[in-house]
Amino acid sequence: MNRLILVVEDDNAVKNLISTTLESKEYKFHTAKNGKQALDETISRKPDVILLDLGLPDMDGVDIIKKIRGWSNMPIIVVSARSEDKDKIDALDAGADDYLTKPFSVDELLARLRVAFRRLDYQNSNYNKNESPIFTNGGLKIDYESGCVFVDDKEVHLTPNEYKLICLLSKNVGKVLTHKYILNQIWGTAFDSDVASLRVYMATLRKKIEKDSEHPIYIQTHIGVGYRMLRIENK
């Protein structure tokens, strides 16, 4: 496979597990054992996807995410032993695209990578050539061709995963999308653990597009079912 993965992990046992898994699937990859090396490798090699541990010896992984997001939108999958919602929210708010908690199954890791690669393909193609390239809903505007999102004419930075989520909702305005449907569309699979992650993604997305994330006007929660984008009278 031509795509390159950067594995940032200081635990040799975990690094060897990931490396063996990637080798078995003939993925190209490089490894880094600390934050400085990770940033150097990211700049010099420009990987397609980063698998990032948060607990590195010289800097926190969240700081690495913030630095990379200053110049790149490459998919970043966090692979961490930190399992608290706050840790996930901090990483996703910083710009991570996905969060996998240790210990993890090899099959799930590979599934997350496949989703990341599909996400890259998605970003590199037109969203839908048969539909309008501009979506507007109240003060929300999505330019599908450029991949930009605006709220009240101010651009909002979204991670690739958040962008795909808002596009999915915008293409189904007024419809309740179930958790399973959303997970299958964005992750490609519907692991039970992903429902909690989906809630975290939705919380970070709302913080970025809603004036008051506690009282959202764009995205409505249907408890135990899923989410719906509400139609708002355009300005």
Side-chain angles (χ1 to χ4, degrees):
M1 295 186 180
N2 293 324
R3 284 170 171 157
L4 178 64
I5 302 165
L6 176 63
V7 180
V8 185
E9 176 62 68
D10 67 322
D11 185 311
N12 286 331
V14 176
K15 182 171 65 177
N16 290 339
L17 172 62
I18 295 175
S19 298
T20 300
T21 299
L22 297 180
E23 285 176 349
S24 71
K25 298 300 180 180
E26 299 184 348
Y27 282 115
K28 291 173 56 180
F29 68 94
H30 286 277
T31 61
K33 61 183 179 181
N34 57 50
K36 182 181 183 304
Q37 189 176 359
L39 292 172
D40 290 343
E41 291 285 317
T42 300
I43 292 171
S44 62
R45 298 187 186 276
K46 293 181 174 57
D48 296 288
V49 177
I50 299 177
L51 297 177
L52 175 67
D53 183 22
L54 295 182
L56 299 171
D58 57 341
M59 67 177 71
D60 193 88
V62 172
D63 293 328
I64 296 174
I65 296 170
K66 290 177 180 178
K67 290 179 183 294
I68 293 173
R69 282 292 171 257
W71 62 275
S72 175
N73 280 324
M74 66 179 64
I76 300 174
I77 302 173
V78 171
V79 183
S80 175
R82 301 178 190 174
S83 59
E84 297 295 323
D85 280 351
K86 182 181 184 305
D87 296 313
K88 295 180 181 180
I89 290 170
D90 287 345
L92 294 171
D93 274 344
D97 300 286
D98 207 345
Y99 199 107
L100 185 61
T101 303
K102 299 175 184 176
F104 55 88
S105 73
V106 166
D107 288 340
E108 185 170 1
L109 173 65
L110 292 173
R112 306 279 186 169
L113 281 170
R114 289 193 296 271
V115 171
F117 291 142
R118 285 198 296 270
R119 193 177 303 148
L120 286 172
D121 292 336
Y122 174 86
Q123 286 179 265
N124 293 331
S125 64
N126 289 330
Y127 185 77
N128 191 327
K129 293 182 178 179
N130 295 323
E131 296 184 359
S132 171
I134 303 293
F135 168 84
T136 58
N137 186 26
L140 175 67
K141 182 172 78 172
I142 304 172
D143 186 333
Y144 296 128
E145 291 188 347
S146 68
C148 295
V149 176
F150 303 85
V151 176
D152 295 332
D153 296 324
K154 293 182 180 179
E155 186 172 358
V156 179
H157 172 75
L158 300 181
T159 66
N161 215 31
E162 290 168 345
Y163 178 72
K164 189 171 183 181
L165 178 57
I166 198 170
C167 285
L168 180 64
L169 291 167
S170 70
K171 292 294 181 180
N172 294 276
V173 176
K175 299 179 182 177
V176 178
L177 304 183
T178 65
H179 295 139
K180 183 176 181 180
Y181 179 79
I182 296 172
L183 291 172
N184 278 320
Q185 292 296 310
I186 295 184
W187 274 268
T189 54
F191 294 105
D192 290 341
S193 60
D194 282 337
V195 175
S197 296
L198 176 59
R199 294 192 183 102
V200 174
Y201 278 110
M202 193 61 68
T204 61
L205 177 59
R206 279 174 167 156
K207 284 182 180 179
K208 295 178 180 181
I209 69 169
E210 303 278 4
K211 290 182 179 179
D212 182 356
S213 60
E214 296 298 322
H215 300 89
I217 64 171
Y218 292 113
I219 302 173
Q220 182 182 68
T221 298
H222 287 254
I223 298 174
V225 179
Y227 299 95
R228 174 175 65 157
M229 178 173 284
L230 301 174
R231 169 62 72 183
I232 300 171
E233 183 179 351
N234 289 329
K235 295 181 177 181

